[in-house]
């Protein structure tokens, strides 16, 4: 069966510090991978998605970046965090099998607080 | 441009009654629609989906209705249970991505 891991679960960082959140998926190959952010009281905002190794699409311009160094590894980074980067970060994967509804499966999330 | 809208930020329902969560969309290109349920500090979990060529899909206590002409879908939960209290997100499937609505917080009161 497939599983998705995110770490760390919680993180408190000062403004201006770097960020690295990691997401790994097990039990599937060549998944689409996604990074979302849920700000307090807000919906799910798609930040980045990837359809393959080294292929990253950005949905929202910001001081964050994403990388996919391996098929089942997705990393969210920042060189300098802003207060507005605080939120709940979710990684998700999706199998793109044709001919059927392919839901996204979400990880447990990382709560980031920037002080 | 908000392609998927959930105009009710919150909804309270008595246990045992019906919960109806609504969702409107503007993009006619969505192939599927999905509902996700999210508890605090957890990732969303998939609940139920419907193809754009269907008008109804049922799974246990959960039924999703799609009205394409009105670009409206709704999730019915019957009977509602306290464990259903969560935030519900509607999403449209568009190619590689989903477009999520802002969510509706459902509170089922005992």
């Amino acid at each position: 069966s497939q599983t998705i891991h995110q770490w760390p679960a919680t993180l408190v960082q000062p403004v201006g510090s770097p960020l690295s959140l990691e997401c790994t998926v097990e039990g599937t190959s060549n998944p689409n991978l996604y990074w979302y952010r849920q700000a307090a009281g807000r919906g799910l905002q798609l930040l980045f998605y990837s359809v393959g190794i080294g292929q990253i699409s950005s949905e929202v311009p910001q001081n964050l970046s994403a990388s996919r160094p391996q098929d089942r590894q997705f990393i969210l980074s920042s060189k300098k965090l802003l207060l507005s980067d605080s939120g709940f970060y979710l990684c998700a994967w999706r199998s793109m099998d044709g001919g059927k509804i392919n839901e996204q499966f979400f990880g447990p999330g990382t709560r980031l607080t920037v002080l | 441009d908000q392609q998927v809208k959930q105009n009710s930020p919150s909804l309270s329902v008595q246990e045992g009654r019906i919960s109806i969560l609504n969702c409107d969309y503007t993009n006619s290109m969505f192939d599927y629609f999905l509902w996700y349920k999210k508890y605090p500090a957890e990732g969303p979990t998939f609940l139920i989906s419907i193809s754009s060529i269907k008008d109804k899909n049922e799974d246990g206590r959960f039924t999703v209705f799609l009205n394409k002409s009105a670009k409206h879908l709704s999730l019915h939960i019957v009977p509602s249970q306290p464990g259903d209290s969560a935030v519900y997100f509607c999403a449209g499937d568009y190619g590689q991505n989903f477009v999520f609505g802002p969510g509706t917080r459902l509170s089922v009161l005992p």
Side-chain angles (χ1 to χ4, degrees):
Chain A
S1 64
Q2 301 89 0
T3 55
I4 178 168
H5 304 279
Q6 277 187 253
W7 62 92
T10 60
L11 190 60
V12 180
Q13 291 284 96
V15 169
S17 64
L19 172 74
S20 181
L21 302 181
E22 190 164 343
C23 170
T24 58
V25 181
E26 296 176 0
T28 187
S29 297
N30 196 32
N32 279 14
L33 296 173
Y34 305 84
W35 278 112
Y36 290 88
R37 176 171 59 203
Q38 184 185 22
R42 306 284 296 275
L44 298 174
Q45 180 187 32
L46 178 64
L47 302 175
F48 300 95
Y49 72 95
S50 171
V51 300
I53 296 174
Q55 300 179 64
I56 308 295
S57 296
S58 173
E59 290 294 302
V60 182
Q62 59 220 321
N63 70 318
L64 299 171
S65 62
S67 62
R68 185 171 178 174
Q70 300 179 42
D71 181 43
R72 289 169 287 180
Q73 183 185 29
F74 206 22
I75 297 171
L76 183 68
S77 304
S78 174
K79 291 181 180 177
K80 287 186 177 182
L81 283 169
L82 306 173
L83 286 174
S84 57
D85 291 325
S86 294
F88 192 55
Y89 287 81
L90 289 156
C91 180
W93 74 271
R94 181 185 190 192
S95 173
M96 297 303 292
D97 292 339
K100 62 173 186 171
I101 298 175
N102 295 292
E103 64 264 32
Q104 289 185 7
F105 298 91
F106 285 84
T110 294
R111 170 73 58 194
L112 171 66
T113 303
V114 182
L115 301 175
Chain B
D1 174 31
Q2 201 175 10
Q3 298 184 57
V4 178
K5 304 175 185 179
Q6 293 177 258
N7 292 322
S8 298
S10 62
L11 174 69
S12 292
V13 171
Q14 209 68 34
E15 181 179 4
R17 307 293 290 268
I18 184 171
S19 296
I20 300 176
L21 297 110
N22 293 304
C23 179
D24 297 290
Y25 62 95
T26 57
N27 190 339
S28 300
M29 301 300 290
F30 288 135
D31 293 323
Y32 302 99
F33 300 90
L34 304 92
W35 285 93
Y36 279 80
K37 174 181 177 180
K38 184 183 182 300
Y39 294 117
E42 294 183 10
T45 55
F46 169 72
L47 199 56
I48 192 169
S49 62
I50 187 168
S51 166
S52 61
I53 63 173
K54 306 277 189 181
D55 56 17
K56 178 182 175 182
N57 187 27
E58 191 171 355
D59 184 1
R61 297 187 295 115
F62 303 92
T63 304
V64 57
F65 296 92
L66 175 62
N67 182 334
K68 281 193 72 174
S69 61
K71 294 184 179 174
H72 175 85
L73 63 156
S74 60
L75 174 68
H76 293 213
I77 306 174
V78 183
S80 301
Q81 300 173 354
D84 296 328
S85 297
V87 176
Y88 289 79
F89 291 99
C90 168
D93 180 2
Y94 183 59
Q96 302 286 349
N97 300 330
F98 290 177
V99 179
F100 284 89
T104 296
R105 181 176 301 279
L106 173 66
S107 299
V108 179
L109 309 173

